[in-house]
Amino acid sequence: MERKSSPDPAPSWVPARGHALRCAGIHFDAVRITGVAGEQVASEIVRFTGFDAGPIVRSRVGEQGVYFLLPPLSANAHHWPAGAEVMSRGGRTAAFVGVPALRGPTWPLDWRSLPTTSTPFVDAVLLHGLTVDVLAEGTGGRPAGS
């Protein structure tokens, strides 16, 4: 990962050290994509934005998900394909996302792309388009779920 060297202050929801759970739909919405597809979407959005994609968190345990952090209450404005899980308010249960500190040991979480003052969140429209493209590739070009 190419990190942007910036004196940007951390958003209030980023812990000073280690990592912390944050409730999705409060400070941000999240879209989780697991495995190779998550890494592929992350690589494409980072490249497309010139390495200023906004906050993308990776988990190195379990299903090894990639979490794209969007503006609060923005994820439900899109119909996400199978393989992309929306985490926001409004469901029957609360969804929590692990958020690592900007520096220091944060295992099993790390940043694929940092939040910055200029890009505090991942662009939901861009993420949706790339997610549809990547997940459709895995289904032989058909939209996921077809």
Side-chain angles (χ1 to χ4, degrees), residues 15-74:
R17 60 181 105 86
H19 50 77
L21 290 176
R22 300 291 187 238
C23 187
I26 305 295
H27 299 288
F28 53 78
D29 279 0
V31 173
R32 176 174 65 181
I33 305 170
T34 58
V36 175
E39 289 293 335
Q40 184 177 352
V41 172
S43 291
E44 290 191 21
I45 198 166
V46 165
R47 254 190 320 251
F48 188 85
T49 60
F51 297 91
D52 191 21
I56 302 172
V57 175
R58 291 185 292 199
S59 174
R60 299 299 188 177
V61 295
E63 294 179 320
Q64 300 193 3
V66 179
Y67 297 80
F68 301 86
L69 306 185
L70 311 176
L73 305 176
S74 65

Side-chain angles (χ1 to χ4, degrees), residues 94-134:
F96 290 88
V97 176
V99 177
L102 295 180
R103 291 172 189 68
T106 60
W107 192 88
L109 303 173
D110 69 359
W111 289 101
R112 178 64 173 86
S113 178
L114 295 168
T116 64
T117 300
S118 61
T119 313
F121 298 104
V122 172
D123 181 291
V125 173
L126 177 59
L127 176 64
H128 180 262
L130 291 171
T131 299
V132 168
D133 290 348
V134 168

Side-chain angles (χ1 to χ4, degrees), residues 78-99:
H78 303 277
H79 179 73
W80 298 88
E85 178 186 355
V86 172
M87 303 170 85
S88 185
R89 272 193 288 193
R92 289 183 176 181
T93 60
F96 290 88
V97 176
V99 177

